[in-house]
Every structure is written in structure tokens, then in C-alpha cells.
Amino acid sequence: MLDEKRDLRRKTFKRIGLSVVYIILGIWAVFTFVPLLWMLSSSFKDSSAITAVPPELIPKRPTLDAFKRIFEVGGMARWFLNSTIVAGVSTIINVFFAALAGYAFSKLKFPGRNSIFWILLSSMMIPGQVTLIPLYILVVNTFQLENTFVGLIVPGMISVGSIFLMKQFMSSLPSSLIDAGRIDACSEFGIFWKIILPMSKPGLAVLGIFTFVGHWNNFFWPFLVTNTNSMRTLQVGLTSFRFENLQDYGAMMAGAVCSAIPMIIVFLALQKYFLKGITIGAVKG
């Protein structure tokens, strides 16, 4: 009898605890969603409605003027194309070379493997601001890559974090298939291409999401190495919506909505792999 009462009490406390957690998460979700709703709502307002007091969460007179301005006046199409090229090429290069390095560090045995890997990991402790000035001097002054796609892509085309992610994921793959491929006289690159990559689709998808979103939202480096309207990326271009020394908030919100669409599409297409990114780093190599 006492055991039944204890079990009932535990279940009651558990339900109460879960209810409290769900309520807190629900409130947090609302506070997180409101700025997104405000951004979407403001993109369909005119300037007077955006600054109106009290604010209008749902526009009374929706208009598409802000979207027309960003494409007709601001050069939105060019910035969108630049961001697509930079983010797309950077993602493909980063994922491919990170997978190659991850395969080498996880499955190949060569002198100094662990030492090289730990040296790479230690470089992650160096803040990016420390290397920013030397990198800028190297790219702009030495190689004259200002206002070029090469200058935008090359500095960020591979990262130690990506190598670590793929190394940890590939460490969990069975080595027996690799040994079978070597017995069948398959080359190391053939093993990597035909055996490792197909089994690494979850890790590649997660890395692709993180890399694409990071490069798509990158602002500071493109801001440094571009000074012409035709080479600006989307995030840099959105800051230039100023007319007669006034910021056009409607155009900025419309541009932000357009900027969010590719990330939403990428996430929805690969969402089944997204949660795996939480556990990949927990695998011991």
C-alpha cells in the first residue's frame, strides 16, 4: 500500500515537473517567436506604420513597397547571388576537406597523427580577432584579393571545428568495411569516396547546415574585404538601406525576410539530421 502511494506521489511530482518545464519552454518559445513575427510584419508596412505608437503587430494596410525597393533600388538580387555563391562554395569545400581530414585522423595510422590533431585543436583557443588583422593584410595588401570571390571564400573555406566534428563522427564507423575495401585492392581515396562518404551522410548533413548558416550570416569579413555595391553580400548590403540619412526599416526587414528563406529551406530539407549534431561530438575517438 505504501509502495503504491509512493509511486503515485512520484508520478504526480513528475507530471507537475514536466508541466512546469513545458510552460517555461512555451513562454520562451513565444518570446523567441515574437521578434520573427515583428520582422515579417514590418516588411509589409510603410514607414509610418513601423514607427507607430502603439505598435501594430499585424499591419492594417499591408504593402509590398519595401520588397519593391530592395530589388529596384538596393541591388538585392546581386547581393543574394553573391551570398549564395560564397555560402554554397564555402560549404562544399569545407565539408569535403573536413571529411578528408576526419577520415585521415580517425582511420589512418601515420606518424604524429595524435600530435598534429591536438595542435589543430589547440589553435581553436586563439580568438579570431587576433588573426583578423594579419589575415586582412595578407588577403588585401599582399594578394590584392579585395572585392573578389576568392578573397571572400578562401579564408573561411576550412575550419578546425569542422575537422573535429567529422573526426569524431567517423571514429564511430566500423573499420571492418575499410579492411574489406583494402583486401579488394581499393585505393584509399576509393575507400573514402565509395565507403566512408555514403556512411557519413548524417555527419555531412549536420556539418553542411552549420557551415552554410555560418557563411550566409557572416557579416564582418565580407564588410572588410568588399567596398563596391556589386560585391557586397546580403548581410552587408542590408546595412546600406539609407535614404537622406534615414534608415529604411521597412526595406531592412524585407531584406531580412528574404535572407531567412534559404536557411529555412536548408534546415527543413535536412532537419532529420540536425539533432545528430548534438551527439556527434560525444563519440570517443
Side-chain angles (χ1 to χ4, degrees):
M1 195 71 178
L2 291 175
D3 292 339
E4 292 180 358
K5 289 183 178 180
R6 289 175 182 174
D7 291 339
L8 182 61
R9 193 175 301 171
R10 289 174 184 172
K11 291 180 180 179
T12 303
F13 282 124
K14 185 177 181 180
R15 289 174 181 173
I16 294 174
L18 287 175
S19 300
V20 172
V21 170
Y22 288 145
I23 291 173
I24 294 174
L25 291 177
I27 295 173
W28 181 260
V30 170
F31 277 104
T32 303
F33 181 71
V34 166
L36 299 177
L37 180 60
W38 179 258
M39 176 187 72
L40 181 62
S41 174
S42 298
S43 66
F44 292 98
K45 298 177 183 177
D46 54 26
S47 300
S48 60
I50 293 176
T51 57
V53 179
E56 299 176 2
L57 188 59
I58 299 177
K60 296 179 180 179
R61 297 182 299 275
T63 177
L64 295 175
D65 290 343
F67 289 93
K68 293 179 181 178
R69 288 198 301 275
I70 62 176
F71 282 99
E72 294 176 358
V73 180
M76 181 74 176
R78 177 65 186 185
W79 300 339
F80 199 94
L81 176 63
N82 292 342
S83 290
T84 302
I85 293 173
V86 172
V89 174
S90 298
T91 299
I92 294 173
I93 294 175
N94 189 50
V95 170
F96 178 73
F97 284 107
L100 273 177
Y103 171 63
F105 283 120
S106 61
K107 297 301 182 182
L108 301 182
K109 295 182 179 179
F110 54 89
R113 182 185 69 171
N114 293 334
S115 299
I116 296 173
F117 182 69
W118 283 109
I119 291 172
L120 286 175
L121 284 185
S122 64
S123 67
M124 295 179 66
M125 295 185 293
I126 303 174
Q129 292 84 353
V130 174
T131 60
L132 188 60
I133 294 177
L135 184 61
Y136 177 83
I137 294 173
L138 188 67
V139 171
V140 176
N141 295 342
T142 304
F143 293 106
Q144 302 293 321
L145 296 177
E146 190 176 19
N147 292 315
T148 64
F149 285 115
V150 176
L152 288 169
I153 294 172
V154 170
M157 68 180 184
I158 188 65
S159 68
V160 178
S162 302
I163 295 174
F164 174 76
L165 186 71
M166 293 311 303
K167 189 264 184 185
Q168 295 299 96
F169 181 84
M170 291 182 178
S171 295
S172 65
L173 300 179
S175 299
S176 57
L177 295 177
I178 298 175
D179 296 334
R182 289 170 180 160
I183 292 174
D184 291 337
C186 187
S187 64
E188 287 296 335
F189 186 80
I191 293 173
F192 168 77
W193 189 259
K194 297 178 181 179
I195 298 176
I196 297 299
L197 282 187
M199 293 193 299
S200 302
K201 288 181 180 178
L204 296 174
V206 171
L207 179 58
I209 292 174
F210 291 157
T211 305
F212 182 85
V213 172
H215 283 282
W216 184 267
N217 289 329
N218 190 17
F219 169 79
F220 197 57
W221 180 251
F223 177 75
L224 288 179
V225 298
T226 59
N227 53 29
T228 61
N229 192 57
S230 61
M231 284 305 301
R232 286 174 177 160
T233 59
L234 188 55
Q235 308 304 330
V236 178
L238 290 178
T239 63
S240 65
F241 284 119
R242 293 174 179 269
F243 300 95
E244 297 180 358
N245 298 322
L246 296 175
Q247 285 188 335
D248 189 343
Y249 290 108
M252 293 179 68
M253 294 299 103
V257 170
C258 294
S259 175
I261 291 175
M263 292 184 290
I264 295 174
I265 293 174
V266 170
F267 176 77
L268 292 178
L270 302 174
Q271 62 177 331
K272 64 180 180 179
Y273 299 119
F274 184 76
L275 293 179
K276 293 182 180 292
I278 300 175
T279 58
I280 285 177
V283 180
K284 292 183 178 179

